[in-house]
Amino acid sequence: NAGVTQTPKFRVLKTGQSMTLLCAQDMNHEYMYWYRQDPGMGLRLIHYSVGEGTTAKGEVPDGYNVSRLKKQNFLLGLESAAPSQTSVYFCASVAGDETQYFGPGTRLLVL
Amino acid sequence: KQEVTQIPAALSVPEGENLVLNCSFTDSAIYNLQWFRQDPGKGLTSLLLIQSSQREQTSGRLNASLDKSSGRSTLYIAASQPGDSATYLCAVNDYKLSFGAGTTVTVRA
């Protein structure tokens, strides 16, 4: 039981490049979330999903897209990376009692 | 919009002292409140979740209280240890989670 895993752990992009972050959970949770964490700003919700095939916008969705083709996977895409997207990205899945389980994070640097 | 505040931003105590961490929120119409621990360079680990109908929740040396009417929650950590050094975040759920910026705790041996 690995819980929530994230791939990759660290990535450097040039402005304008694209990439996809993968989140996987093996707890059969319906709800999954993508957050970004920036110094002094706490965690902010980017997008979320309430089940396979569904996605919705969070607080800061601009510049990101998501997909939930399989229940266990939640993908976050950056179509054209910008320096403002330099951040640490966390994925979380939610248990039935509403406890959120977080992955270890992906550190992204956009030059 | 829900605003979540954690004061102080940082705290340093000697080993053995009890820790008191504060969290305040602006909208009392919440479903639950969750406390997390984050170690440097790591993800968040859930410590305690308090439902809106509860007044407190306990796990080992940790105790969290919730006063919805005043928009406050307090996390108590008894007999602190150096291993308790971390950043503690609270998150309020009012259809989505809103996080505080956290309190960074250092426990000195």
Side-chain angles (χ1 to χ4, degrees):
Chain A
N1 187 339
V4 180
T5 59
Q6 292 184 235
T7 308
K9 289 183 171 54
F10 177 70
R11 185 77 181 268
V12 178
L13 288 179
K14 294 181 179 179
T15 296
Q17 287 185 318
S18 63
M19 76 165 295
T20 300
L21 283 68
L22 171 63
C23 175
Q25 53 97 1
D26 60 2
M27 297 174 282
N28 203 36
H29 293 163
E30 294 288 345
Y31 285 51
M32 296 184 74
Y33 295 81
W34 274 108
Y35 295 94
R36 59 177 290 172
Q37 186 176 36
D38 301 291
M41 300 189 72
L43 277 82
R44 293 180 291 169
L45 182 64
I46 304 172
H47 284 280
Y48 64 98
S49 169
V50 300
E52 182 178 314
T54 73
T55 62
K57 294 180 180 180
E59 182 183 356
V60 288
D62 294 342
Y64 305 96
N65 57 74
V66 287
S67 64
R68 184 98 181 268
L69 298 180
K70 294 182 179 181
K71 186 177 185 178
Q72 63 268 36
N73 295 336
F74 194 25
L75 279 63
L76 177 70
L78 286 73
E79 295 176 340
S80 179
S84 61
Q85 293 178 305
T86 293
S87 187
V88 182
Y89 292 86
F90 288 102
C91 172
S93 69
V94 187
D97 66 356
E98 300 188 53
T99 300
Q100 293 215 1
Y101 294 88
F102 280 76
T106 293
R107 296 181 179 275
L108 176 65
L109 175 62
V110 182
L111 301 175
Chain B
K1 180 189 173 188
Q2 182 77 262
E3 301 285 345
V4 182
T5 304
Q6 293 184 250
I7 296 174
L11 187 59
S12 179
V13 299
E15 183 176 5
E17 190 165 302
N18 295 334
L19 284 165
V20 180
L21 306 179
N22 298 304
C23 173
S24 61
F25 48 95
T26 54
D27 188 343
S28 62
I30 66 171
Y31 298 121
N32 55 58
L33 182 147
Q34 197 164 347
W35 282 94
F36 294 89
R37 170 186 172 135
Q38 185 175 29
D39 293 292
K42 305 291 185 182
L44 280 70
T45 301
S46 178
L47 297 174
L48 290 168
L49 183 147
I50 312 176
Q51 299 294 347
S52 62
S53 59
Q54 297 177 310
R55 297 283 294 182
E56 66 177 345
Q57 193 67 259
T58 298
S59 176
R61 294 185 294 114
L62 277 60
N63 174 276
S65 65
L66 174 64
D67 184 342
K68 274 201 325 176
S69 60
S70 66
R72 293 183 181 181
S73 177
T74 303
L75 177 66
Y76 301 89
I77 303 177
S80 62
Q81 304 167 358
D84 293 329
S85 298
T87 297
Y88 293 83
L89 298 98
C90 70
V92 173
N93 185 359
D94 59 0
Y95 83 88
K96 70 174 183 66
L97 279 190
S98 296
F99 285 81
T103 295
T104 299
V105 171
T106 302
V107 180
R108 310 186 302 271

